[in-house]
């Protein structure tokens, strides 16, 4: 039994493995899987379910499953057994898994639901490293299949990548070196070519200027030959060209410097004595300044000729100043001249010489016409005397009409033809004389002396009687013979001036005698009011102001400017900035140096050097304006060592102010360019002035008020002043332009501002009734309807901060209402404050007052509060300001004029003596009264406790008429108190009742006052 079992065992061990059966099974499994995966085969519900199960889970990876059993089963059936088939099958599985991972990463929709879930997990954790992991899995599978060492494919790929990157890097570096060398070479060639072109252009310019220079022609030829050799450049040719260009640049520079020095000397010699022109202009202006205002028909056309000559003088003066300014700029530009600048400077020099020639011709013509105008003045005064002497002579009146018409038609061309007109006048006078006792008298000295036909002596004619006066006989009510003269004003002016009567015709005047004119028709000296007594309203003369001081040494100022230009250039070079100074303009307080930056330099580098430049120039601060509007240069504003004072008289007599077409002209100040800047308050339409204490704010307010006082009568413009500090505006108290005395109490000021709002609303109602939109339209329509015109109203507040602290809501509300709506009614605000903080200058106030005037402040924060930009912290004080108005790109720097306290006193003394019938205050003065705090002001009751009651009674009795505005000015009381005094006088039967715009009648005499008040 044991032997049989051992035989069976040995027989079993020797039987070979049946690979054919296994191959058949594997082949069947592979065919089954392939049939299940191919939808074209009819596998029924089993196949569809299998595909949904397998393909839906792993996607395209399912198509890798049938191939291993098919290949291995086929080999087993063909008895080709591979000993390494397990390793190959494992490698295939690993490589397939890697391929499935790549498909999952690159085409997520083809990897099934498992692949999409796995991709979200893998990419969220590793990112792009998942691609490297999938490639690594594929490489491991291939290594198993081909029996390669592990990671051999990864190492080979990495080594190949490193070698390829190194090779590419070396090639790129070599290429860069070659390109850099070639680019540097050609860049040097291009630079030399550009310098050659620049030299060629400079030589062309110089050749045009100096056509006889053989050296310039030789240089041009040599440059052309070298430019030809650079068409195919070589290093040796480039080196030669660089050396030649340097030598030619030095030579051209030296040539240009010599030519610039010669041209600078010619520019300096354009005018030998520039001060002589100014002295001539002042002398001619003084001769033309007195107006021709005799009440005769020929006076107005003669005065128009005089004004034309003044305009020509102003044009000549401005042209001369412009030429001087251009000369200074041209000389500054020639300090660092180039051929192009040299050519431009030479052309400008020739143009200036032509203009100087034209100025000389204009000066000679103006001299001649001014000399010819003097005898015409004498003829006008003589004609006035004759018209008053021979009032019944139609021929003399016709002579005046004919001469006035010729003067209007021919103007200054008629000045040279005075002799025929004198002869014609002499003949008219000879025929107008009546013979006495059968004798015919002749004209001696060109003046008549016989009695009139009716036996009336001309000396007995009352020159005040407007119905029979010669002025009325000559003009008539509708003739264009000058402005209407009020009878009462003439009478007062005659009484005040003490005009002497005309000489009697029985005493023949000596040859060359000129009649003494009445005060209101005499030249400028006769127009001066008496030192004491009341006068009628008139525009004050600038003679009330102090004379301008002598000018500083111009040569020393020019040396100072040149020294600063040199210091600025040295400072820029120390900071390696290639900019250079091209021009400089000296203003009253600062000098603006114009700096041209080098191409490619950032402006911010220059703007950051303000402190360094101030240190180098030894000044307090340098303001940098980058760039200057309208120019491609940077402006450096350096304070002057010696500040030039701008007198208010110079500003008031300037052409900009006298000929300004602004509706409400304000003298703002003198710019750096020397131009007097005049603003228009009607166009601003309100002005905000702010700055620290002592910076010039109050002086600026005084100059603005003075500007209006020198242009408007009280009937044309009224002022409402609020001065909580009680010292700045009180000198103007009593001028006839004031609606009420200067308000100094802050609690009363808020009520006055609210009253101004009420008056504004009243004006709107009046304008709506006439169907107009502006004050000018209202006044034009009111004039045609014989209604009272409304004056402009300017409200000046010297310290807004005190009002805002006392009554912030009322003041801010009133200022906002006025700022928003008052422009159309002719009411304008001028607000000043020394506290430019956000609680004073609120956003509501700043939005409605866009025009700003900023003086020196302590910090940039305050500057932003005023101007919404920096700059005011760099100002030097003493009237140095920045003015901004909508429409300007940047604030403009100005030096405000200076008006002294003595000048203000002289001006106010002159104005306080003026009087007129103030119908406006009579009708609307109560609008500006603050709300009374008690009821003691009941109308119709006599206030015996008022110490001004008897003074008011004596005043109205002595003057013979009474009005509230008259009491207000003469007694220096407010409108409300003046009204109560008038009510008391009416209750005492001293004055009559209210008569509208007419003064009240006085019912008692001076001797009756002791009976009323007691002795």
């Amino acid at each position: 039994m044991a032997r049989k079992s051992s035989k069976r065992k040995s027989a079993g061990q020797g039987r070979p493995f049946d690979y054919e059966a296994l191959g058949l099974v594997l082949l069947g499994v592979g065919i089954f899987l392939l049939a299940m995966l191919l939808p074209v085969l009819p596998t029924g519900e089993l196949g569809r379910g299998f595909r949904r199960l397998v393909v839906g889970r792993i996607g395209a990876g399912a198509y890798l499953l049938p191939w291993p059993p098919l290949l291995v089963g086929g080999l087993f059936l063909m008895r080709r057994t591979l000993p390494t088939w397990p390793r190959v099958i494992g490698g295939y599985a690993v490589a397939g898994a890697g391929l499935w991972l790549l498909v999952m990463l690159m085409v997520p929709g083809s990897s099934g639901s498992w692949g999409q879930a796995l991709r979200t997990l893998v990419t969220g954790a590793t990112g792009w490293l998942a691609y490297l992991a999938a490639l690594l899995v594929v490489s491991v599978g291939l290594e198993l299949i081909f029996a390669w060492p592990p990671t051999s494919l990864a190492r080979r790929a990495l080594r190949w990548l490193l070698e390829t990157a190194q090779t590419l890097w070396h090639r790129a570096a070599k290429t860069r070196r070659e390109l850099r060398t070639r680019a540097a070479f050609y860049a040097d060639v291009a630079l030399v070519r550009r310098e050659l072109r620049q030299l060629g252009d400079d030589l062309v310019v110089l050749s045009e200027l100096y056509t006889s220079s053989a050296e310039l022609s030789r240089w041009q030829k040599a440059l052309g030959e070298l430019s030809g050799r650079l068409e195919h450049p070589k290093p040796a040719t480039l080196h030669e060209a660089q050396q030649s260009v340097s030598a030619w640049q030095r030579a051209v520079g030296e040539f240009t410097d010599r030519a610039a020095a010669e041209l600078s000397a010619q520019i300096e010699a354009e005018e030998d004595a520039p001060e002589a022109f100014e002295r001539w202009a002042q002398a001619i202006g003084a001769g033309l300044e007195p107006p021709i205002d005799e009440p005769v028909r020929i006076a107005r056309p003669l005065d128009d000729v005089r004004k034309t000559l003044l305009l020509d003088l102003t044009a000549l003066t401005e042209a001369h100043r412009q030429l001087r300014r251009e000369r200074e700029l041209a000389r500054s530009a020639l300090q660092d001249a180039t051929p192009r600048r040299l050519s431009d400077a030479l052309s400008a020099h020739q143009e200036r010489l032509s203009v100087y020639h034209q100025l000389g011709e204009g000066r000679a013509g103006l001299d001649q016409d001014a000399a010819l105008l003097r005898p015409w003045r004498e003829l006008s005064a003589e004609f006035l005397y004759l018209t008053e002497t021979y009032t019944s002579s139609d021929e003399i009146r016709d002579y005046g009409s004919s001469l006035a018409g010729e003067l209007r038609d021919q103007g200054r061309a008629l000045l040279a033809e005075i002799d025929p007109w004198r002869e014609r006048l002499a003949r008219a006078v000879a025929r107008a004389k009546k013979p006495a006792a059968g004798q015919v008298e002749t004209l001696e000295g060109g003046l008549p002396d016989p009695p009139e036909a009716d036996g009336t002596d001309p000396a007995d004619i009352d020159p005040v009687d407007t119905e029979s006066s010669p002025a009325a006989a000559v003009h008539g009510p509708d003739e264009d013979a000058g402005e209407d003269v009020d009878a009462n004003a003439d009478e007062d002016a005659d009484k005040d001036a003490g005009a002497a009567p005309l000489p009697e015709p029985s005493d023949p005047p000596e040859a060359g005698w000129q009649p003494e004119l009445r005060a209101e028709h005499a030249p400028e000296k006769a127009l001066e009011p008496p030192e004491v007594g009341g006068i009628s309203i008139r525009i004050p003369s600038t003679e009330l102001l102090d004379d301008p001081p002598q000018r500083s040494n111009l040569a020393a100022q020019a040396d100072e400017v040149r020294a600063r230009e040199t210091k600025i250039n040295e400072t820029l070079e120390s900071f390696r900035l290639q900019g250079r100074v091209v021009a400089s303009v000296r203003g009253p307080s600062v000098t603006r140096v114009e700096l041209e930056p080098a191409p490619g330099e950032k402006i911010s580098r220059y703007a950051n050097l303000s402190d360094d430049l101030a240190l180098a120039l030894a000044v307090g601060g340098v303001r940098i304006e980058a760039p200057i509007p309208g120019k491609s240069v940077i402006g450096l504003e350096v304070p002057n060592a010696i500040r030039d004072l701008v007198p208010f008289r110079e500003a008031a007599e300037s052409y900009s102010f006298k000929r300004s077409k602004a509706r409400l002209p304000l003298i703002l100040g003198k710019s750096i360019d020397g131009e007097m800047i005049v603003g228009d308050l009607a166009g601003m339409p309100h002005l905000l002035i702010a700055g620290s204490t002592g910076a010039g704010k109050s002086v600026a307010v005084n100059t603005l008020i003075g500007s209006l006082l020198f242009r408007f009568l009280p009937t044309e413009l009224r002022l409402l002043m609020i001065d909580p500090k009680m010292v700045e505006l009180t000198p103007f108290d009593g001028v006839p332009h004031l609606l009420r005395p200067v308000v100094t109490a802050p609690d009363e000021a808020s009520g006055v501002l609210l009253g101004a709002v009420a008056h504004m609303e009243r004006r709107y109602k009046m304008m709506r009734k006439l169907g107009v939109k502006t004050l000018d339209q209202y006044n034009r329509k009111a004039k045609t309807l014989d209604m009272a015109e409304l004056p402009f109203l300017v409200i000046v507040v010297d310290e807004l901060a005190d009002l805002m602290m006392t009554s912030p809501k009322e003041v801010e509300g009133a200022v906002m209402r006025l700022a928003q709506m008052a422009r159309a009614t002719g009411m304008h605000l001028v607000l000043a404050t020394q506290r430019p903080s956000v609680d004073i200058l609120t956003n509501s106030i700043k939005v409605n007052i866009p025009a700003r005037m900023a003086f020196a402040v302590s910090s940039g924060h305050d500057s932003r509060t005023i101007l919404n930009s920096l700059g005011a912290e760099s100002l030097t004080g003493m009237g140095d300001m920045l003015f901004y108005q909508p429409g300007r790109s940047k604030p403009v720097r100005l030096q405000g004029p200076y008006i002294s306290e003595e000048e203000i006193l002289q001006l106010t003394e002159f104005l306080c003596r003026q009087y007129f019938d103030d119908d406006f205050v009579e009708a609307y003065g109560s609008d500006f009264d603050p709300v009374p705090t008690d009821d003691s002001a009941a109308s119709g009751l006599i206030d015996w406790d008022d110490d001004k009651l008897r003074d008011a009674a004596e005043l109205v009795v002595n003057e013979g008429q009474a009005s509230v505005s008259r009491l207000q000015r003469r007694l220096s009381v407010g409108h409300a108190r003046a009204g109560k005094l008038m009510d008391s006088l009416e209750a005492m039967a001293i004055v009559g009742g209210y008569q509208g715009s007419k003064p009240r009648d006085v019912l008692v005499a001076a001797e009756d006052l002791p009976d009323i008040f007691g002795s």
Side-chain angles (χ1 to χ4, degrees), residues 764-903:
Y764 268 115
K765 294 177 182 178
M766 298 167 63
M767 292 165 59
R768 184 178 60 186
K769 289 181 180 179
L770 293 185
V772 296
K773 296 182 179 180
T774 64
L775 181 65
D776 290 333
Q777 295 176 1
Y778 175 86
N779 287 336
R780 285 195 295 268
K781 201 163 186 179
K783 191 173 183 179
T784 59
L785 299 176
D786 197 18
M787 297 172 56
E789 301 180 15
L790 293 177
F792 283 96
L793 177 57
V794 178
I795 303 173
V796 183
V797 180
D798 184 70
E799 186 49 66
L800 182 64
D802 289 347
L803 303 185
M804 293 293 290
M805 294 175 61
T806 305
S807 305
K809 293 183 179 180
E810 293 81 359
V811 171
E812 184 177 3
V815 170
M816 286 179 56
R817 289 289 308 280
L818 292 171
Q820 291 172 353
M821 301 177 59
R823 175 180 185 177
T825 63
M827 299 173 62
H828 304 277
L829 290 171
V830 177
L831 305 179
T833 181
Q834 61 183 4
R835 287 185 53 195
S837 56
V838 293
D839 56 337
I840 303 301
L841 302 180
T842 62
N843 289 331
S844 302
I845 294 178
K846 290 172 58 179
V847 166
N848 293 292
I849 306 180
R852 318 278 172 77
M853 186 181 289
F855 290 86
V857 294
S858 59
S859 65
H861 176 73
D862 293 341
S863 178
R864 290 187 181 275
T865 303
I866 304 171
L867 298 172
N868 296 328
S869 63
L870 297 175
E873 73 280 0
S874 302
L875 299 178
T876 60
M878 299 179 65
D880 191 14
M881 73 176 81
L882 288 175
F883 174 71
Y884 175 76
Q885 184 176 357
R888 295 180 179 269
S889 58
K890 293 182 178 180
V892 58
R893 190 166 188 174
L894 305 174
Q895 174 64 38
Y898 175 74
I899 180 170
S900 63
E901 296 181 0
E902 292 77 10
E903 291 175 310

Side-chain angles (χ1 to χ4, degrees), residues 685-714:
H686 310 288
L687 179 60
L688 175 61
I689 305 173
S692 59
T693 304
K697 171 180 58 63
S698 298
V699 176
V701 173
N702 292 336
T703 58
L704 298 181
I705 297 174
S707 305
L708 299 174
L709 295 179
F710 274 98
R711 286 297 291 267
F712 294 97
L713 294 172

Side-chain angles (χ1 to χ4, degrees), residues 329-665:
L329 293 178
R331 291 182 56 193
S332 300
L334 286 178
Q335 293 179 0
D336 189 11
T338 62
R340 179 61 61 186
R341 289 182 182 174
L342 187 64
S343 176
D344 295 340
L346 183 58
S347 301
H349 169 63
Q350 295 172 352
E351 293 178 1
R352 284 195 300 274
L353 290 179
S354 176
V355 177
Y356 272 118
H357 179 69
Q358 296 175 5
L359 283 180
E361 294 178 352
R363 178 176 174 178
L366 190 58
D367 269 332
Q368 180 181 359
D369 291 342
L372 292 174
L373 184 63
R374 285 192 289 271
W376 283 95
R377 287 180 180 271
E378 300 171 358
L379 179 62
S380 176
E382 180 180 343
F383 185 71
L384 170 64
Y385 173 73
L386 294 174
T387 53
E388 293 179 345
T389 304
Y390 300 101
T391 57
S392 61
S393 176
D394 295 334
E395 187 173 358
I396 294 180
R397 288 196 295 270
D398 295 340
Y399 169 86
S401 301
S402 177
L403 180 54
E406 290 294 329
L407 284 171
R408 292 191 186 95
D409 295 338
Q410 300 186 31
R412 60 192 298 181
L414 192 65
L415 294 179
E417 303 178 4
I418 189 173
D419 293 336
W421 290 97
R422 277 191 177 276
E423 295 174 0
R424 181 176 172 183
L425 179 60
R427 291 194 299 268
V429 172
R431 283 190 289 270
K433 288 183 177 181
K434 298 298 182 180
Q439 298 179 356
V440 179
E441 299 183 2
T442 59
L443 181 66
E444 294 182 7
L447 293 176
D449 56 338
E452 295 294 328
D454 56 358
T456 303
D457 191 349
D460 297 333
I461 300 177
D462 186 5
V464 181
D465 187 2
T466 58
E467 297 180 357
S468 61
S469 66
V474 174
H475 292 298
D478 299 325
E479 293 184 12
D480 184 14
E483 299 178 357
D484 296 335
V485 181
D486 182 69
N488 294 330
D490 290 345
E491 182 178 358
D492 293 337
D494 290 342
K495 292 179 180 179
D496 295 332
L502 295 173
E504 297 182 359
S506 59
D507 299 328
E510 299 179 356
W513 174 89
Q514 295 299 328
E516 184 178 358
L517 304 182
R518 291 182 298 175
E520 69 270 20
H521 305 310
E524 185 176 5
K525 290 185 178 179
L527 282 174
E528 294 180 359
E531 296 182 358
V532 294
I535 57 176
S536 59
I537 57 173
R538 64 189 67 182
I539 299 295
S541 172
T542 54
E543 297 296 332
L544 297 170
L545 305 175
D546 297 339
D547 294 331
Q550 296 293 331
R551 293 191 176 183
S552 303
N553 189 355
L554 299 180
Q557 294 177 356
D559 294 339
E560 177 190 352
V561 172
R562 283 193 289 270
R564 287 184 169 181
E565 290 178 357
T566 304
K567 197 66 177 179
I568 290 173
N569 286 327
E570 294 175 355
T571 305
L572 294 177
E573 290 178 0
S574 64
F575 284 95
R576 297 182 180 179
L577 292 175
Q578 302 300 320
R580 56 193 177 88
V581 176
V582 296
S584 59
V585 181
R586 191 182 192 279
S589 57
V590 296
T591 297
R592 184 178 66 200
V593 180
E594 297 181 0
L595 180 67
E596 183 181 16
E601 291 281 1
K602 292 184 177 180
I603 298 180
S604 59
R605 297 187 62 190
Y606 296 91
N608 295 331
L609 290 180
S610 60
D611 295 337
D612 302 284
L613 289 171
L615 177 63
L617 297 173
V619 295
V622 176
R623 179 174 177 264
I624 298 181
E625 187 177 11
I628 298 176
K631 296 183 180 180
S632 58
V633 294
I634 299 172
L636 308 180
E637 297 177 359
V638 184
N640 294 333
I642 301 177
R643 184 190 301 265
D644 294 339
L645 180 67
V646 181
F648 183 71
R649 178 168 180 173
E650 176 186 344
E653 293 177 347
S654 64
Y655 172 82
S656 302
F657 181 66
K658 283 191 173 182
R659 310 302 177 190
S660 175
K661 296 182 179 179
R663 197 67 183 89
L664 291 175

Side-chain angles (χ1 to χ4, degrees), residues 57 106 134 208 741 968 987 990:
R57 296 292 190 278
M106 293 185 294
E208 294 175 354
Q968 180 182 355
I990 297 177

